[in-house]
Amino acid sequence: MESPFIFGKVATADYFTNRTQDIKKLVTNFNSLVNTVVISPRRWGKSSLVKRAAEITQQSNTNVRFCFIDMYNIRTEEQFYQLLSQNVLQASSSRFEEILETSKKFLTSLLPKISFSPDMTNEFSLSADWEEIKKQPDEIIELAENVAKLKNFKLVVCIDEFQNISSFDEPLEFQKKLRSHWQYHTNVCYCLYGSKRHMLLDVFNSQSMPFYKFGDIMFLTKISEEHWIPFIQKRFSVTGKTISEENARLICSLAENHSFYVQQLAHLVWNETIKECSADNVTTAFENLLLQLGFLYQTNIDSLSNTQVNFLNALIKGELRLSSKDVIRKYKLGTSANVSRIKQALENKEVIEMQGETIDFLDPMYKNWLKHHYF
């Protein structure tokens, strides 16, 4: 029997739950061509949210098209330009003849080489002299606007893991190039999202950065139990199994309403359940998940310094005054200046997230593993 839960993939249709207000806001922004920045920790469902909002937008407005770009493995300007031009051409054209015609019209100075898949579908690769393009990238940066204007439709360019531009050789100059063009586009808007909150805030919320005030910034919050519980119960019921509100709430509590882990833990609980879910099914699935993830977490902990591990121990123990002399002495953290360096290092490693004075683990299962198995 196919699992009624999904994780590690984009959640669509019946696998998607709630985010009603976020979807409404995104749909309005897409229809109005308002640039939007979506920020949340990894695996909170950003990609699923954007895809869902795009589907709903196109259901009511056929004049809006979407171009999806994933920058997960993109580390250079040249790679970005190639991906941008390739995906814009593919999103704006339904036939390979159109792709050829459009590229000839708008990429005149690049002399691109286009290779199609053997079955002549829209899947193709684009190659050119990317070193030369880097010197004069205007045609590619303007490609989306020029194509949308020519074909009289609106185009929404959605770019995932946008914070990776910070790893480019000259990130500030690159951002200036993009902003100097994108801010004048009237037929295109950009939806930029990623999972490294502190890096994205540096890009979009710092007055000294080119993308400051570029668009509407959305900070995603966790989906609440009031939405998860009926979702879990309904997904159980479609497969002929049942789960009580209490046990569905237990799943949410153990996963701390983290979208990825709620779905994963619910899947494991569903797999443990024959007909009616019991509390033992939930706790067994939870322990199995921690054991399964333990190999990965052990590798992660081995990569940390002793003082970083000691700092995590202090967090697990509920210490609040982490820079106080007593806590520093008790957990052997060195100095208060060293505590600040530890915080920054752990945030860069995506172990913790800092919001003001509040520090929390990005991965609730990692926290549970540290609490119940490591410390």
Side-chain angles (χ1 to χ4, degrees):
M1 186 184 300
E2 185 177 351
S3 173
F5 300 98
I6 192 170
F7 53 95
K9 300 179 181 178
V10 172
T12 58
D14 292 337
Y15 294 101
F16 188 92
T17 183
N18 193 244
R19 298 282 185 207
T20 307
Q21 293 303 313
D22 294 324
I23 289 174
K24 183 179 179 181
K25 186 173 185 178
L26 272 179
V27 170
T28 300
N29 285 359
F30 291 161
N31 280 316
S32 305
L33 292 184
V34 174
N35 295 324
T36 308
V37 179
V38 183
I39 300 176
S40 81
R42 193 180 301 280
R43 295 178 175 177
W44 277 29
K46 290 180 299 298
S47 298
S48 298
L49 169 64
V50 173
K51 286 285 181 69
R52 182 60 176 160
E55 291 172 0
I56 293 174
T57 302
Q58 289 188 304
Q59 288 170 6
S60 59
N61 190 345
T62 57
N63 197 44
V64 179
R65 298 196 186 186
F66 286 83
C67 170
F68 292 96
I69 297 173
D70 188 349
M71 288 186 61
Y72 180 73
N73 290 319
I74 303 302
R75 294 294 182 269
T76 66
E77 273 190 59
E78 294 88 343
Q79 290 176 333
F80 175 81
Y81 292 138
Q82 182 172 12
L83 197 63
L84 177 64
S85 53
Q86 189 168 308
N87 281 273
V88 166
L89 287 172
Q90 191 163 5
S92 60
S93 305
S94 59
R95 296 177 297 113
F96 71 89
E97 292 90 353
E98 289 184 77
I99 293 174
L100 285 172
E101 183 180 343
T102 303
S103 64
K104 288 178 182 177
K105 184 176 182 64
F106 294 117
L107 303 178
T108 55
S109 66
L110 306 184
L111 298 175
K113 297 178 182 178
I114 299 178
S115 302
F116 290 90
S117 57
D119 58 358
M120 300 302 284
T121 65
N122 272 16
E123 292 190 10
F124 68 97
S125 61
L126 184 68
S127 60
D129 187 342
W130 298 107
E131 281 298 327
E132 288 300 314
I133 289 170
K134 185 177 177 180
K135 297 175 185 176
Q136 293 293 333
D138 293 10
E139 284 190 352
I140 288 180
I141 299 176
E142 287 292 324
L143 182 61
E145 174 70 7
N146 288 334
V147 171
K149 187 180 296 183
L150 175 72
K151 300 193 176 185
N152 196 32
F153 57 63
K154 297 178 180 179
L155 182 61
V156 182
V157 179
C158 304
I159 306 180
D160 197 358
E161 301 299 348
F162 188 73
Q163 75 276 345
N164 282 358
I165 62 174
S166 299
S167 66
F168 292 0
D169 288 341
E170 298 178 352
L172 194 60
E173 290 304 311
F174 175 69
Q175 291 174 46
K176 288 178 181 178
K177 276 186 263 186
L178 292 186
R179 178 67 187 258
S180 67
H181 289 271
W182 286 2
Q183 65 184 337
Y184 295 112
H185 288 180
T186 58
N187 296 275
V188 180
C189 74
Y190 296 86
C191 180
L192 311 174
Y193 47 111
S195 53
K196 295 186 178 180
R197 184 178 181 275
H198 63 289
M199 291 178 68
L200 285 169
L201 285 176
D202 286 341
V203 173
F204 294 105
N205 210 38
S206 174
Q207 295 186 34
S208 62
M209 298 297 282
F211 273 95
Y212 178 66
K213 299 293 185 183
F214 177 69
D216 187 11
I217 297 183
M218 294 176 57
F219 292 97
L220 295 193
T221 58
K222 290 181 178 179
I223 298 173
S224 65
E225 286 185 2
E226 66 175 295
H227 298 293
W228 276 125
I229 291 171
F231 170 77
I232 293 170
Q233 289 182 300
K234 182 178 180 180
R235 299 307 289 162
F236 264 73
S237 67
V238 298
T239 60
K241 299 182 181 183
T242 60
I243 182 171
S244 67
E245 179 180 331
E246 181 181 3
N247 286 329
R249 189 182 304 278
L250 180 58
I251 291 174
C252 297
S253 176
L254 292 171
E256 296 187 10
N257 292 340
H258 186 290
S259 296
F260 179 91
Y261 287 122
V262 169
Q263 293 256 21
Q264 184 178 24
L265 182 56
H267 158 76
L268 294 173
V269 172
W270 173 85
N271 203 38
E272 285 280 337
T273 302
I274 296 176
K275 194 70 178 175
E276 182 177 354
C277 175
S278 67
D280 285 341
N281 292 142
V282 179
T283 54
T284 298
F286 176 67
E287 284 302 320
N288 288 339
L289 179 57
L290 289 186
L291 290 173
Q292 174 187 328
L293 294 171
F295 297 102
L296 172 64
Y297 293 154
Q298 184 63 57
T299 301
N300 290 344
I301 205 78
D302 290 342
S303 70
L304 303 179
S305 68
N306 288 337
T307 52
Q308 289 170 352
V309 173
N310 293 343
F311 181 87
L312 295 182
N313 190 20
L315 279 181
I316 292 293
K317 296 297 196 306
E319 301 286 358
L320 299 177
R321 300 175 64 245
L322 294 163
S323 296
S324 68
K325 291 182 179 180
D326 288 343
V327 171
I328 288 173
R329 183 173 57 253
K330 180 179 179 181
Y331 294 94
K332 299 179 181 178
L333 300 178
T335 64
S336 58
N338 194 49
V339 170
S340 297
R341 288 192 289 270
I342 292 170
K343 291 178 184 178
Q344 190 61 57
L346 291 174
E347 185 174 42
N348 291 339
K349 290 174 180 285
E350 297 186 79
V351 176
I352 63 172
E353 181 181 38
M354 297 186 291
Q355 297 188 51
E357 296 298 316
T358 303
I359 303 174
D360 202 2
F361 285 83
L362 280 171
D363 185 334
M365 292 303 166
Y366 189 29
K367 179 170 68 176
N368 277 305
W369 179 79
L370 288 172
K371 182 177 182 179
H372 297 292
H373 292 276
Y374 189 79
F375 292 126

